[in-house]
Amino acid sequence: MTEPLVRTRFAPSPTGRMHLGNLRTALFNALLARHRGGRFLVRIEDTDAERSGAEHERSLLAELRWLGLGWDEGPGCVIPADGARQSERGAIYDHWYARLRESGRAYPCFCTREDLERVRRAQRAAGRPPRYPGTCARLSADEAQARLAAGQPATLRFRVPAGETVVFEDLVRGEQRFATDDLGDFVIQRTDGSASFLFCNALDDALMGVTHVLRGEDHLTNTPRQQLLLESMGLPVPSYGHLALIVGADGAPLSKRNGSRSLEELRAAGYLPAAITNYLARLGHTPAEGALLDMDGLAEAFEIARLGRAPARFDSAQLQRWQAEAVAAAGPGELLPWLGDDTPVPAALRERFVALVQPNIRFPADMRTWAERLFGTLRVEEPEPLREAGATFCAEAEAILAETGVDWKAFTRALGERTGRRGKGLFMPLRVALTGVPHGPGLGEAVALMGAERVAGRLAAARRWVESSQ
Ligand code: GLU
């Protein structure tokens, strides 16, 4: 028997920016589909018309693309032909509402917000969990019809069967059991006719052929309700896996306060897609492979069995570590834009410059610092080795450079002989004289890139700096 094609989805509500939590959910679903040679869908859950916006949707999709999380079906694709946005799927929902009403599995509910609040208060006071008491479930068909005809606002509620147990095998957390008596009948259509999350989220998964749903554990208690709903409509139920929350260093759910940042902020700070995907793929998931991986590698390494049940702790030091790896592995095309338009690095030297400093940088600001250090005006940031070597050292270096040019070997050999300096004693003051700091990229290559004239200018500037600082 061949296994059915795996179909996963990311179903964001376009009400805000992408943050690490929903990004990780998107990534895991995309990786699961790719790992199994399946398909990854994107569905826009925009039934909350007030909070949803086209601008949010655009940026969300652009961010998914930027991360390399392309989708096989969804916005901009020919499938699904009947709409990838829930706001386009109203006719489908109406069809299923009618069927649920006809079969008696759903009924109109006329309880007002105040009625419900009163009941909830009483339940809480009696130490019972709040749930719908079934008031309108007991209305006769005639009465319900009469009230509807009189224009009384109504929601549509799903009738949860009494005295049963819903059982499902969570992909991450194992078997889950819920007594239907604890669930209470729930709203599937709001008074304004719009679809509730529980309803259209489950229905669309079934109609779109989704086989696996990885989502946050805040949705765990929705699953038994959604399973009942799908079963009552005779539709297939996907396998659900609920991911442990991401928490901050303080153990509280990740939020702005304890270090969470939106993708937009991470991108603006210069984080590369590979850094973010490699970090997130290891947040609550432990791939066997420890090296930086591209999307195919991450997909290959993705295993449901490696998803953790314990809360995943966000660690910005780890994110930075992956950034360093991603920068080291990046192609020049990815890093060149970091130089910016007003860089002092001459156009013809930019690619070589980027390759030179690549091992020494993590962020765009680091690259611009090195551009200034090699091509701007000399700023002696860490003066000690230069001060110790003195102005004579600089003068000797200037004189030798005039003879050898930027032939690095000849230049340093002659300078060593003339000054009697070797090793660190020679290179540290030279580094400071040329770049302002005693550490950095290969000095011979830097000098070759800067050229004799600029190097001579640096040595003279360093000499004047020592003289004026004495
Ligand atoms: N739109 C829902 C959310 O953003 C989707 C939940 C789910 O993945 O089922 O929370």
Side-chain angles (χ1 to χ4, degrees), residues 9-13 22 25 29 43-45 86 197 201 205 213-216 218-219 222 226 240:
R9 50 69 166 177
F10 178 50
S13 308
N22 53 12
T25 302
N29 281 291
R43 179 176 69 236
I44 304 294
E45 302 214 315
Q86 292 187 323
F197 164 76
N201 173 267
D205 279 342
V213 172
L214 296 177
R215 60 181 180 182
D218 46 327
H219 287 290
N222 291 330
Q226 295 190 305
Y240 292 91

Side-chain angles (χ1 to χ4, degrees), residues 7 10 17 21 59 97 105 115 175 193 202 209 248 271 278 281 291 319 336 345 347 352 365 388-389 403 434 462 465:
R7 295 168 61 84
F10 178 50
R17 304 299 304 217
S59 62
Y97 287 137
R105 295 306 302 266
D115 295 335
E175 188 184 272
Y271 282 93
N278 272 271
L319 178 58
L336 263 176
V345 184
R352 280 173 64 200
E388 178 270 324
E403 292 160 24
L434 295 176
W465 183 89

Side-chain angles (χ1 to χ4, degrees), residues 237-467:
V237 182
S239 299
Y240 292 91
H242 292 91
L243 305 166
L245 286 184
I246 305 179
V247 296
D250 55 0
L254 194 60
S255 69
K256 276 229 167 305
R257 200 180 38 75
N258 60 10
S260 180
R261 292 159 85 186
S262 66
L263 182 59
E264 187 187 23
E265 288 167 315
L266 293 174
R267 199 173 162 178
Y271 282 93
L272 294 177
I276 297 172
T277 52
N278 272 271
Y279 177 60
L280 288 180
R282 289 160 172 99
L283 193 55
H285 175 253
T286 324
E289 178 57 60
L292 184 83
L293 297 169
D294 62 11
M295 211 44 107
D296 287 340
L298 287 174
E300 203 173 311
F302 185 81
E303 301 277 355
I304 285 179
R306 291 179 172 273
L307 289 168
R309 290 190 201 190
R313 202 171 281 263
F314 175 72
D315 179 352
S316 70
Q318 280 300 317
L319 178 58
Q320 293 219 20
R321 176 176 98 74
W322 286 108
Q323 169 73 355
E325 298 228 12
V327 170
E334 253 184 301
L335 301 185
L336 263 176
W338 284 11
L339 272 177
D341 298 330
D342 54 350
T343 177
V345 184
L349 301 180
R350 286 182 195 159
E351 280 210 20
R352 280 173 64 200
F353 168 79
V354 169
L356 173 69
V357 300
Q358 194 162 354
N360 299 79
I361 61 171
R362 278 191 187 178
F363 295 101
D366 305 333
M367 185 186 281
R368 289 197 281 271
T369 299
W370 278 109
E372 284 300 324
R373 284 177 180 159
L374 300 191
F375 291 94
T377 38
L378 176 69
R379 220 166 49 80
V380 181
E381 298 169 53
E382 293 175 47
E384 220 24 69
L386 180 61
R387 198 172 272 147
E388 178 270 324
T392 339
F393 176 81
C394 300
E396 305 274 24
E398 284 177 82
I400 291 167
L401 184 77
E403 292 160 24
T404 63
V406 288
D407 176 342
W408 182 243
K409 274 216 173 108
F411 171 67
T412 50
R413 192 183 315 117
L415 183 61
E417 281 165 11
R418 185 89 51 94
T419 59
R421 290 175 168 270
R422 281 184 298 128
K424 277 192 169 182
L426 174 65
F427 290 103
M428 299 268 270
L430 194 52
R431 266 193 184 281
V432 178
L434 295 176
T435 68
V437 289
H439 52 81
L443 196 55
E445 291 158 63
V447 159
L449 202 61
M450 290 159 80
E453 204 178 310
R454 200 170 274 110
V455 171
R458 287 292 167 112
L459 292 174
R463 175 173 42 77
R464 286 193 299 272
W465 183 89
V466 180
E467 284 163 358

